[in-house]
Amino acid sequence: ALAEEYEVRCYPTLKFVKYGKDQEYTGGRTADTRVNWLEKKTGPPAKTITAADDMKKFIEDNEIAVVGFFKDTESADAKTFLAVADKMDDYPFAITSDEAIFKDNEVEKEGIVLFKKFDEGRAVLSGEVTDEAVTKFISGNALPLVVEFNQDTAQKIFSGEVKSHLLLFLSAAAEDFSAKVDIAREIAKDHKGEMLFVTINTDEEEHKRIMEFFGMEESELPSMRIIKLEEDMSKYRPESTELSDSNIRSFVNQYLAGEIKPHLMSEEIPEDWDKEPVKVLVGKNFDAVAKDTTKDVLVEFYAPWCGHCKQLAPTWDKLGEKYKDSETVVIAKMDSTANEVEDVKVQGFPTIKLFKKDNSIVDYNGERTLEGLVRFLESDGVDGAAAEGDDEEDEDDDLGHDEL
């Protein structure tokens, strides 16, 4: 009952309650990021520092420290800095107007400095102090030029302002690992703030799932991909996966210039894809089957590891059996971990969509029972369809979905 009152839909969920009002925790997963988040919510957005020793300790105690140097802390630029500090919960901020602290940190004029324990050690914001510029500056400098993907960095990588990521799939035990990272680091300097460079250690068993997501075989390693984390996630594959300076630069520049199309995975078409009542779709035969204008095609997009998909399988087979002789209805399924289509974005499993004769697509969010699915088909995709404005998280909670 308490979880329902606080609209808890998944676990773990962290809630912060202040003056009787609750808000969802949006920070990182490490102890430091949680402490920073709480300090922001319970105190001022930036710590006011007036002594050089205190500033020295503040910088030394934090992996990243963002400091606003303003002679007048009530100025427009200082207020913009504080506004950004208030919304960026993962990082510690400080503000000072003390001339001795300016001198001690070799700051000659007002501005914002990001101190860090990696790469060049510090970065200075150039140009105007606007909300957008400060946010982009911090996001572009708060991670190393080449960041290792792990549990501690995942949140900052995927929730940051930079949505284009070059992923380098490498064995950390390889003799040339450091040399490859050095090449990437030099290229990353030219694209700070517009692209993140991320290494994924392919020796880690838990990273095999990421390779699977990109349709990548072990035989392809080492390799690289680009991912764009906008509303609809897009993946890009280079013609050559050689991790040389010229090839990485070419891939990045082609992507930024919009010269390459997203890469869509597909298995080969099985010889017996249409032998059973439930037809087997892959990327290469999807359009020919699902977009046949003489038939309504109901497709289940599933993942082999998805528990909810396994529960649905017997019902889906019965549905296929019921319509096996129909000339106007096709029941099909597609493994979405190995196959992708351009106009269908799958966020969770199972996802069920009806591709109608008139080329319209209707989402099914009704009961996953034979009766419910039959009603949906017999009602021409009305009974059980997703209502406009349905909340996706609510649907997941009611029906059960496994996330992508």
Side-chain angles (χ1 to χ4, degrees):
L2 191 62
E4 186 176 330
E5 177 187 341
Y6 282 92
E7 299 180 346
V8 175
R9 300 189 181 95
C10 60
Y11 301 100
T13 290
L14 304 181
K15 295 276 189 175
F16 176 64
V17 184
K18 185 175 182 179
Y19 303 131
K21 293 184 178 181
D22 68 281
Q23 59 181 294
E24 195 127 349
Y25 173 75
T26 56
R29 298 182 179 183
T30 64
D32 286 345
T33 55
R34 285 176 176 156
V35 169
N36 288 335
W37 192 93
L38 279 170
E39 287 182 343
K40 287 284 187 65
K41 297 301 179 184
T42 56
K47 184 176 183 179
T48 300
I49 297 180
T50 58
D53 286 345
D54 291 342
M55 181 63 76
K56 185 177 180 180
K57 186 175 187 307
F58 176 75
I59 294 170
E60 287 178 350
D61 286 351
N62 292 289
E63 182 78 6
I64 296 159
V66 188
V67 182
F69 291 86
F70 300 102
K71 293 178 181 177
D72 178 7
T73 56
E74 295 297 320
S75 66
D77 285 355
K79 288 180 179 178
T80 298
F81 171 74
L82 292 172
V84 174
D86 192 45
K87 71 176 183 179
M88 297 191 77
D89 298 320
D90 278 350
Y91 308 110
F93 287 75
I95 189 168
T96 186
S97 58
D98 189 274
E99 289 187 13
I101 297 178
F102 272 63
K103 185 176 181 180
D104 195 51
N105 289 279
E106 300 178 354
V107 175
E108 296 180 357
K109 60 180 182 178
E110 291 187 316
I112 299 167
V113 181
L114 186 148
F115 298 90
K116 48 188 174 179
K117 289 185 170 63
F118 48 83
D119 294 338
E120 69 274 34
R122 64 188 278 166
V124 181
L125 174 66
S126 58
E128 287 187 274
V129 179
T130 65
D131 188 293
E132 182 180 1
V134 176
T135 301
K136 186 176 181 180
F137 164 73
I138 295 169
S139 298
N141 286 281
L143 287 170
L145 286 167
V146 178
V147 57
E148 177 190 354
F149 176 84
N150 55 45
Q151 186 175 345
D152 293 339
T153 61
Q155 176 80 6
K156 289 181 180 179
I157 290 171
F158 293 117
S159 65
E161 296 292 320
V162 182
K163 301 303 181 184
S164 295
H165 303 165
L166 175 73
L167 307 180
L168 302 169
F169 293 84
L170 296 158
S171 165
E175 289 184 5
D176 62 349
F177 175 78
S178 295
K180 299 292 188 191
V181 173
D182 287 343
I183 289 172
R185 187 176 291 112
E186 287 303 308
I187 301 170
K189 290 177 182 177
D190 298 333
H191 300 286
K192 192 183 290 186
E194 65 177 351
M195 178 169 283
L196 281 183
F197 285 62
V198 182
T199 60
I200 297 176
N201 182 9
T202 53
D203 300 328
E204 297 283 346
E205 190 61 35
E206 61 188 30
H207 293 167
K208 304 297 184 189
R209 179 86 173 271
I210 304 174
M211 293 173 57
E212 179 186 298
F213 176 69
F214 284 93
M216 190 181 297
E217 301 290 339
E218 297 245 3
S219 59
E220 294 181 60
L221 298 174
S223 191
M224 63 178 170
R225 296 289 190 274
I226 286 175
I227 187 168
K228 186 178 183 181
L229 300 175
E230 298 292 355
E231 185 175 343
D232 292 329
M233 185 186 299
S234 301
K235 296 175 279 188
Y236 298 82
R237 178 180 180 174
E239 290 184 18
S240 166
T241 57
E242 180 188 4
L243 301 184
S244 64
D245 182 276
S246 59
N247 196 49
I248 296 174
R249 286 186 189 275
S250 174
F251 182 37
V252 170
N253 290 334
Q254 284 181 322
Y255 165 77
L256 293 173
E259 295 173 356
I260 51 177
K261 291 183 178 180
H263 172 68
L264 302 174
M265 297 187 298
S266 178
E267 297 175 297
E268 294 301 319
I269 302 173
E271 290 184 9
D272 60 348
W273 72 270
D274 62 346
K275 301 301 184 204
E276 299 296 329
V278 175
K279 311 308 175 189
V280 178
L281 302 186
V282 296
K284 292 183 177 180
N285 71 346
F286 185 87
D287 283 357
V289 178
K291 297 185 180 180
D292 184 342
T293 55
T294 66
K295 295 179 174 66
D296 288 334
V297 184
L298 188 66
V299 183
E300 177 205 2
F301 298 89
Y302 73 95
W305 44 260
C306 163
H308 296 295
C309 303
K310 293 174 183 177
Q311 290 176 0
L312 178 61
T315 300
W316 204 254
D317 288 339
K318 290 177 184 176
L319 187 67
E321 189 69 30
K322 179 176 177 61
Y323 288 98
K324 68 178 181 178
D325 297 323
S326 173
E327 295 184 1
T328 58
V329 175
V330 175
I331 307 302
K333 63 181 180 180
M334 188 174 86
D335 177 357
S336 287
T337 67
N339 300 278
E340 298 169 317
V341 289
E342 190 170 358
D343 54 357
V344 177
K345 303 300 179 184
V346 177
Q347 303 296 333
F349 303 113
T351 289
I352 300 171
K353 293 179 181 285
L354 177 63
F355 295 80
K356 298 176 67 174
K357 301 183 192 74
D358 62 3
N359 288 325
S360 63
I361 304 173
V362 182
D363 290 328
Y364 178 73
N365 285 334
E367 297 176 355
R368 292 186 196 140
T369 61
L370 182 61
E371 296 77 12
L373 290 160
V374 170
R375 281 198 308 271
F376 178 64
L377 288 168
E378 299 299 326
S379 68
D380 197 30
V382 174
D383 191 343
E388 186 175 348
D390 271 358
D391 184 271
E392 189 173 315
E393 286 188 304
D394 283 343
E395 293 157 11
D396 287 359
D397 189 48
D398 294 340
L399 297 172
H401 284 73
D402 283 330
E403 290 186 4
L404 187 60

